[in-house]
Amino acid sequence: MGFPANGSDGANSFKFLIYGRTGWIGGVLGKLCQAQGIDFVYGAGRLENRYSLEADIAAVKPTHVFNAAGVTGRPNVDWCESHKVETIRTNVVGTITLADVCREKRLVLINYATGCVFEYDADHPLGSGIGFKEEDTPNFIGSFYSKTKAMVEDLLKNYENVCTLRVRMPISSDLANPRNFITKITRYDKVVNIPNSMTILDELLPISIEMAKRNLTGIWNFTNPGVVSHNEILEMYQEYIDPNFTWKNFTLEEQAKVIVAPRSNNELDANKLKKEFPELLSIKESLIKYVFLPNKKTA
């Protein structure tokens, strides 16, 4: 599973090169490195520019590289439907270029990818508890964003230095962040109500740093075990944050009328991650511990 990289033996001699300084995950990664006393530098190069990446690595001399850069679209993935070339440039060309440069330099690349490349099907029915595994082939290309991500995931399988982390519907304790899944659904006029696998960043991003230290590679479902529905999250929000909060549901058919591209709904099997990190909490336990209790409003 591990890659014989230019790693580090000493706890304080790691040096991380991080791409995605202005992004949500990239920003939190920097703060985690500061808290852990890990030396890190944000990459200045553009992912699609090989020479700028080589210059970054030559200047920084990192032990590991993290890719938290990418195009998800703003305000959402519908942006990618009308900006296909820009999406390809970063999500496909950029990611592959970075992986290739890192391989040449014998560096492990921790790549924050997406689990929104699957949808419930006959073999993985909604509510069955049967999740998609790491080796399963993506079956959802309903959005151009997901299509590019599935493409890249398939190509990256050939790079033995890459650790692909399938993130889904990321959540953090920062409820003011507009990228936070909880913040998003509390601001929607209506929400669907479907159980999904999700990623609690407060718990999982520190794990990704540990994965780098262990030189773990390959594909990982990077979600908390189990699923949680929109309504279950909003019920917790009502209980812990705002007792007066109300919401309305609508169907997938009704949702389809107000979005450009279909959305992915699925359960990912997190057993591989749980086996490597037995302390990993289930999605509902993690939501309470890392998100709702720290934000609980006291009367």
Side-chain angles (χ1 to χ4, degrees):
M1 194 82 67
F3 178 72
N6 291 329
S8 167
D9 296 324
N12 296 319
S13 51
F14 291 102
K15 190 170 188 181
F16 295 164
L17 175 59
I18 302 171
Y19 288 93
R21 177 180 201 145
T22 58
W24 182 19
I25 288 177
V28 175
L29 265 181
K31 289 175 184 170
L32 286 171
C33 288
Q34 283 178 328
Q36 292 187 27
I38 297 170
D39 194 8
F40 75 98
V41 176
Y42 283 112
R46 302 288 302 174
L47 292 192
E48 64 274 16
N49 184 328
R50 186 181 189 93
Y51 303 108
S52 68
L53 301 181
E54 289 172 341
D56 279 348
I57 290 171
V60 175
K61 296 181 176 58
T63 58
H64 299 79
V65 180
F66 290 73
N67 180 30
V71 169
T72 54
R74 296 208 179 218
N76 54 49
V77 295
D78 286 342
W79 180 91
C80 300
E81 301 297 318
S82 54
H83 297 78
K84 291 183 176 177
V85 171
E86 295 95 321
T87 305
I88 291 169
R89 187 180 297 131
T90 303
N91 289 359
V92 182
V93 179
T95 304
I96 295 296
T97 303
L98 181 59
D100 197 59
V101 170
C102 287
R103 184 179 183 274
E104 202 173 66
K105 307 295 183 186
R106 295 184 61 246
L107 292 166
V108 165
L109 171 65
I110 304 291
N111 185 52
Y112 297 95
T114 184
C116 292
V117 289
F118 295 100
E119 61 182 340
Y120 290 117
D121 62 12
D123 295 323
H124 309 82
L126 189 154
S128 67
I130 302 169
F132 290 92
K133 292 184 166 65
E134 280 78 3
E135 58 272 20
D136 289 333
T137 302
N139 68 347
F140 176 78
I141 51 169
S143 70
F144 190 73
Y145 167 80
S146 290
K147 192 174 183 178
T148 64
K149 290 291 193 174
M151 232 181 270
V152 169
E153 180 180 286
D154 188 48
L155 292 170
L156 288 179
K157 285 179 190 172
N158 300 293
Y159 284 84
E160 71 279 16
N161 63 311
V162 176
C163 181
T164 294
L165 303 180
R166 288 174 175 164
V167 175
R168 285 214 76 229
M169 298 177 165
I171 291 169
S172 86
S173 54
D174 179 8
L175 295 180
N177 192 312
R179 312 295 284 175
N180 191 332
F181 180 73
I182 295 177
T183 311
K184 284 182 178 180
I185 63 172
T186 57
R187 293 177 180 177
Y188 288 159
D189 293 331
K190 293 179 180 178
V191 295
V192 293
N193 182 37
I194 302 171
N196 271 283
S197 286
M198 301 187 192
T199 302
I200 307 297
L201 297 180
D202 303 68
E203 181 173 18
L204 283 160
L205 285 187
I207 283 177
S208 68
I209 289 175
E210 182 57 34
M211 292 175 85
K213 291 177 179 179
R214 296 181 190 182
N215 286 332
L216 297 177
T217 55
I219 296 173
W220 297 77
N221 287 338
F222 203 59
T223 57
N224 291 84
V227 292
V228 65
S229 70
H230 298 64
N231 280 7
E232 285 173 322
I233 288 176
L234 293 175
E235 283 162 9
M236 290 183 194
Y237 186 86
Q238 197 177 52
E239 179 184 348
Y240 289 94
I241 310 298
D242 181 3
N244 299 313
F245 181 79
T246 59
W247 69 94
K248 293 177 182 174
N249 289 124
F250 65 161
T251 64
L252 279 174
E253 292 72 27
E254 290 170 319
Q255 182 196 45
K257 294 174 184 174
V258 296
I259 56 177
V260 177
R263 301 296 194 257
S264 154
N265 293 289
N266 69 56
E267 177 172 355
L268 297 182
D269 185 323
N271 281 322
K272 179 180 173 182
L273 191 66
K274 177 78 173 174
K275 189 176 178 183
E276 185 74 29
F277 297 94
E279 68 277 13
L280 182 64
L281 296 178
S282 73
I283 183 63
K284 290 173 187 174
E285 290 173 319
S286 194
L287 272 167
I288 292 169
K289 178 177 178 179
Y290 289 100
V291 180
F292 288 118
L293 282 178
N295 282 291
K296 186 175 183 180
K297 296 286 188 286
T298 50

